[in-house]
Amino acid sequence: MGLSRLAALHGVATSYSPSPDVTVSVPDDTVIAVLAALGVDAGTPADVRKCLAAAESRSRLLPPTVVVWAGEPLPPALAGLPPGSTVTVEPEPSDLPGHPAARPPAPLSMRSRAAAPAEPVASGEPAPEAAPAPGAAPAWWISPPPGVHRIHVRTPDNRRATATLVAAPPRLPQPPEGTHGFLVQLYSLLSARSWGMGDLGDLADLAAWAGRSVGSGFVQVNPLHAAVPGKPTDPSPYRPSSRRFPDPVHLHVESIPEYGHVRDRAALDDLRQDAAALSEAVLNKGALIDRDAVWELKRQALELVAQVPLTPGRRADYCDFLAEQGQALEDHALWCALAEVHGPDWHTWPEALRAPRSPGTARARSELLDRVDFHCRLAWLTAGQLAAAQRAAEDAGMGVGIVHDLAVGVHPAGADTWSQQEAFAHGMSVGAPPDAFNARGQDWGLPPWRPDVLAATGYAAYRGLLRGLLAHAGALRIDHVMGLFRLWWVPEGRPPTDGTYVAYDAEAMLAVLVLEAHRAGTSVVGEDLGTVAPGVREALARRGVLGTSVLWFERDWEGDGRPLAPEEWRRDCLATATTHDLPSTAARLTGDHVTLRHRLGLLTRSLEEELTADLTDTAEWLALLARLRMLPEGDGDEEAAVRAVHRFLRRTPARMTGVWLPDTVGDRRPQNLPGTWDQYPNWRLPIADPEGHPVTLEEITASPRLHGLMEVLRPRKPHTAPPGERRP
């Protein structure tokens, strides 16, 4: 009982429900291990009693971080202050990295009062205030501007407290209604000028074409976070070294202004020939995308580019970037420089270098100054091309632009875990509990953030992460958005079945998200597929976070299980036919995805059983499309069926409709096949046609199949008769 109480005080679950009618108890040793990762020693009953007594006797006037929403009631921490308490809000300074505000206003001072007097008011005293209307803050409260402030409280009995105050607008900005766009894994999008994989030049070009030629409102890409270097590098964009900074492997080298002034043209020409050979191998010889080979060529080219002095204007821009990014960028660049010397896993570095603020690290910082500057410059160049891609999207008339993707976590050996060690729960990994689709659960190998440290630091790491991602985005997709509420922690060395949920302060996580997105003018899409706790989707919708609805999963699960009619879909979502973790639409319609999994030994039933179940599922959807007259009767053409699926998506009330770019050319291969590692080339395939032959950006945009599909999504324009012509 004592362990359960202690766990509850720290947001650690001692049971969970994989389905509404099932409750599973978490092993005590799992709870003890998770508490230890949170700095709580519960190893023995005596330790539990000691920690419990300390926790229950600790009385905080304010929690470390307090959230207020504009126009809404104050949280209990403020509304319940003793009458007569002095409250002072110190607005945030304007010198925060990337902060858009000018000079901060003067501190706001106020005094809390009771909603009604406890005894009659003496003559001459002010009349008591009326109780605030529902949905409003009390009259004594002076709302601070949106931002992250410091709040100071002093009670009449002289108790004092200081906390971080997050003042957030009530909702996120929303994208234009009915907008459509493309979803693409950027590395898979090779153009005629690519260096063996898609790059930011290709992204800008796709956005410019899509906005102008087919009326698209956005292009959503995979996470472009910095990867952990290695031999080979982990190709998954969802296990990055850092989520705060982008990976320079995505640079389009020739677009860098200094490129044209490199003196050693022969060396550059040799590198370009090698890059052309890489692309040729991928596009015409069946080779996989080789990120390491691409980076080796680009790194050599960027070393030559870095020798070119910056012009005064470029130098000033670079210096501004360094000042805006501050310590976070310096730490990231230092990790990159140290990894070049000591390898990509900081746990194996010399002891003196394993902490970012140690004397040994300070000496290394000085000794590696040139390499640190090189990696800072790469971050600056990449940020510049990210901004250029968003400008290209906006100039093409896109209502949203580039939708960036936020991975759920980072690699345990990478830059973020080294530079922010205190913020991570070491010895823990994020995953998922057992469910109907995976009886063994999942371990994603990503160390989680500690919720207590986030709160104690005013969510500084989270704020910096969001600010960096949103700087050049039209919108943000959050992978596994349920992680804002809770995450499944798995102790190191144990199976995922021995994990448990750890809660986060969802109000604070959402408030910071809404605040930073509001500052950037961006909307947010949450990937809320799979097991979602009760109330989570409602809480996200209240704050304007769009959900993700994938056609094949949209059924009446609480009723007859039939496919949902288009008018029954939710409005505030991104509606798609597939995602990077699912079969392409052509593979789904043909059953190719089942035979692929059979060849790889991934099926839990016989091939015949799986094909029958898959055919039944697909047939129900095709029957609905036929009843709605979206699919020509008797037409068994796969391309027509793909168009019908997207015609259906367009009829739903979804705010955004996403088209998986490989679907536009009939690609049958998934980009990622969950449950595989080396059995399948995850994250290394170029976009291909139905026969599996890779196609370039130029070929995709000229594809009759693509243009036929986009006609389905193009909004209907009212007919305007030319001069002299009568309307029929």
Side-chain angles (χ1 to χ4, degrees), residues 207-229:
W209 169 83
R212 289 183 167 88
S213 298
V214 294
S216 294
F218 65 92
V219 175
Q220 177 183 301
V221 295
N222 55 285
L224 304 182
H225 310 319
V228 177

Side-chain angles (χ1 to χ4, degrees), residues 233-501:
T233 298
D234 185 343
S236 172
Y238 291 91
R239 292 191 80 214
S241 170
S242 173
R243 295 187 294 174
R244 176 65 181 81
F245 295 100
D247 198 312
V249 76
H250 300 113
L251 281 168
H252 180 242
V253 178
E254 293 94 327
S255 293
I256 300 171
E258 289 73 37
Y259 176 87
H261 300 280
V262 172
R263 292 187 176 182
D264 193 345
R265 307 307 300 181
L268 277 185
D269 288 344
D270 289 344
L271 291 171
R272 290 186 64 182
Q273 288 179 12
D274 290 344
L278 277 181
S279 287
E280 171 69 13
V282 172
L283 293 172
N284 295 310
K285 298 180 180 179
L288 298 174
I289 293 169
D290 188 339
R291 182 197 177 284
D292 293 330
V294 173
W295 173 237
E296 180 57 28
L297 295 178
K298 288 191 177 182
R299 182 193 60 77
Q300 294 180 50
L302 292 166
E303 299 274 8
L304 295 172
V305 169
Q307 296 173 16
V308 178
L310 297 175
T311 65
R314 293 273 289 166
R315 169 63 61 180
D317 186 67
Y318 179 44
C319 290
D320 283 351
F321 180 79
L322 293 176
E324 289 170 0
Q325 303 304 318
Q327 188 70 54
L329 174 59
E330 187 176 330
D331 286 345
H332 174 74
L334 178 57
W335 182 91
C336 294
L338 288 169
E340 291 176 334
V341 178
H342 301 289
D345 186 350
W346 62 267
H347 299 91
T348 66
W349 292 356
E351 186 86 31
L353 301 177
R354 294 179 193 173
R357 304 290 171 259
S358 71
T361 301
R363 287 192 297 273
R365 196 181 301 263
S366 177
E367 293 164 359
L368 296 171
L369 197 59
D370 287 346
R371 297 307 297 170
V372 171
D373 180 70
F374 175 68
H375 290 289
C376 285
R377 185 180 293 204
L378 296 187
W380 169 61
L381 293 173
T382 311
Q385 292 196 5
L386 287 170
Q390 178 63 14
R391 283 197 303 272
E394 293 171 348
D395 291 346
M398 284 191 167
V400 176
I402 309 301
V403 182
H404 286 280
D405 198 352
L406 173 61
V408 71
V410 293
H411 197 287
D416 281 3
T417 58
W418 176 75
S419 61
Q420 302 170 9
Q421 292 178 38
E422 68 287 345
F424 288 92
H426 300 282
M428 294 288 145
S429 177
V430 173
D435 57 28
F437 301 99
N438 192 329
R440 292 172 295 190
Q442 300 176 56
D443 183 344
W444 302 331
L446 308 170
W449 265 336
R450 285 181 54 166
D452 56 330
V453 174
L454 287 178
T457 56
Y459 294 82
Y462 178 47
R463 287 188 279 132
L465 165 62
L466 290 174
R467 192 165 296 175
L469 280 170
L470 294 170
H472 309 300
L476 179 67
R477 174 192 181 269
I478 300 181
D479 193 43
H480 192 71
V481 72
M482 296 81 79
L484 299 180
F485 296 75
R486 66 179 187 178
L487 284 171
W488 184 257
W489 288 22
V490 181
E492 187 176 0
R494 302 188 188 186
T497 50
D498 285 355
T500 190
Y501 280 114

Side-chain angles (χ1 to χ4, degrees), residues 79 131 191 249 263 265 271 307 339 407 437 524 600 613-614 627 684 693:
S191 68
V249 76
R263 292 187 176 182
R265 307 307 300 181
L271 291 171
Q307 296 173 16
F437 301 99
V524 176
L600 297 175
D614 187 70
R627 286 199 303 274
R684 289 173 287 172
H693 188 276

Side-chain angles (χ1 to χ4, degrees), residues 477-482 525-530 545-548 579:
R477 174 192 181 269
I478 300 181
D479 193 43
H480 192 71
V481 72
M482 296 81 79
V525 177
E527 185 268 296
D528 57 351
L529 304 175
V545 179
L546 304 184
T548 300
T579 73

